[in-house]
Amino acid sequence: MKKMIKISVILLNDIEDQLVKLFTGNDIISLTCDFADSVGEQVTFHAVDFNSKKEILSRNISDLSDGAKIKFFSEIKKIRKVSENQGLVRQIDRLISEATSSSINARIAVGELMESYSPKLKLVWTDALKSYDNDDFRNALDSIRLALELLLKQVLNKADCKK
């Protein structure tokens, strides 16, 4: 299950353009493949072959889930070649900030909607988010199902009262 986070394509492309200038094709393969393995994901390119560095980096990054992309950029900015380029680090920080804030804003909006129906509904939703953030997808799914069930009961009960 991929966590959906809004990532700026233009900013991502600009960061990739700068990264390919800093690393060899083999470095890019190593960085992306090792990272993907560490988070249990798969990437397309495992060797340089006839592909450009940009194609390898772009494709391997696009293969990652959005959450893994954010983690990848959080890790890569610690590499000396990257950390010495303050402009690139600022761009990576901006990418991470924008991506995570849009996700957080969506969570807050849904939480506020749930709370407007019932405080219990908000608690169930909060439990779902905590489980999801801890990769406890089974409990997250159960809590989301319960939150939806409670929401529908409240909405349908209000609809019955209006008839």
Side-chain angles (χ1 to χ4, degrees):
M1 177 185 282
K2 290 186 175 186
K3 294 182 183 181
M4 297 305 294
I5 299 174
K6 185 175 176 169
I7 294 180
S8 168
V9 176
I10 295 169
L11 185 56
L12 177 61
N13 189 51
D14 192 35
I15 291 169
E16 290 172 350
D17 287 342
Q18 292 182 61
L19 289 174
V20 297
K21 294 175 186 173
L22 297 176
F23 298 101
T24 68
N26 287 327
D27 289 341
I28 292 169
I29 291 289
S30 178
L31 287 169
T32 56
C33 289
D34 290 349
F35 177 79
D37 289 342
S38 77
V39 294
E41 296 193 21
Q42 298 294 317
V43 292
T44 301
F45 294 112
H46 296 275
V48 176
D49 294 326
F50 297 105
N51 305 84
S52 70
K53 294 188 302 184
K54 173 68 174 183
E55 182 181 6
I56 294 167
L57 182 63
S58 294
R59 181 53 190 250
N60 282 1
I61 288 174
S62 73
D63 289 340
L64 298 171
S65 66
D66 288 341
K69 286 176 189 157
I70 298 305
K71 188 173 180 183
F72 174 79
F73 285 111
S74 295
E75 296 291 321
I76 203 163
K77 73 179 190 172
K78 297 174 187 173
I79 296 172
R80 188 172 188 205
K81 288 180 179 181
V82 177
S83 67
E84 290 174 346
N85 183 335
Q86 289 304 304
L88 178 56
V89 170
R90 280 192 298 276
Q91 284 186 305
I92 292 171
D93 287 340
R94 183 174 150 214
L95 178 85
I96 293 168
S97 175
E98 288 177 6
T100 54
S101 68
S102 65
S103 174
I104 290 167
N105 289 338
R107 288 173 169 217
I108 291 169
V110 171
E112 288 171 353
L113 172 71
M114 297 289 189
E115 190 173 37
S116 70
Y117 283 97
S118 149
K120 181 180 180 184
L121 197 51
K122 168 87 182 224
L123 288 173
V124 172
W125 176 252
T126 302
D127 287 344
L129 293 177
K130 287 177 185 174
S131 295
Y132 187 74
D133 288 340
N134 292 320
D135 294 335
D136 183 2
F137 301 122
R138 178 73 243 163
N139 285 326
L141 180 62
D142 287 343
S143 294
I144 290 169
R145 181 206 47 79
L146 178 58
L148 183 59
E149 181 182 323
L150 293 171
L151 177 65
L152 287 172
K153 280 183 181 179
Q154 291 208 358
V155 169
L156 294 175
N157 282 341
K158 287 182 182 181
D160 285 341
C161 291
K162 292 181 182 180
K163 288 184 179 180

